[in-house]
Amino acid sequence: MSRGASRLSNVSLMTQTPFDSFDETHGEHQAALAYVTEAFAEAILAGIESDSFAQAALMASLRELVATYGEEAVVKLAEALPGKIRAGEFTCASRH
């Protein structure tokens, strides 16, 4: 990829928010979610409190998203969270 193409790609990433590209039905996204779910279960089995692990996972995720998309895109993501939470987008039938 040329430098110009790389820059264009980075510009498009900066205008796209992290949730715009996540599709739970996409194979790679399903696999990634399965890995995170498995890590969560292993941490709980190791005696780590679920809320401690969730907060650590959230911090690690935000750092990775900032590194990938930049601060402003992640701010837009965070600003959209209250509506998504209230709409039940993160609600699971069972609790950990």
Side-chain angles (χ1 to χ4, degrees):
M1 181 183 298
S2 74
R3 279 188 141 189
S6 176
R7 282 191 192 128
L8 288 176
S9 175
N10 288 339
V11 168
S12 116
L13 280 177
M14 291 175 72
T15 59
Q16 180 182 28
T17 65
F19 277 133
D20 289 343
S21 63
F22 192 82
D23 175 6
E24 287 188 55
T25 63
H26 183 268
E28 186 173 331
H29 294 170
Q30 285 178 329
L33 193 53
Y35 276 110
V36 171
T37 301
E38 182 65 25
F40 201 104
E42 287 183 24
I44 291 170
L45 286 173
I48 296 172
E49 294 290 329
S50 62
D51 64 323
S52 293
F53 186 84
Q55 290 178 30
L58 181 59
M59 296 306 296
S61 296
L62 289 170
R63 286 183 184 135
E64 186 62 30
L65 290 170
V66 167
T68 302
Y69 295 98
E71 286 86 0
E72 285 306 311
V74 178
V75 166
K76 288 179 184 176
L77 167 115
E79 289 171 342
L81 285 175
K84 292 178 178 290
I85 293 167
R86 288 184 184 105
E89 289 189 35
F90 304 105
T91 303
C92 297
S94 64
R95 290 190 47 105
H96 297 273

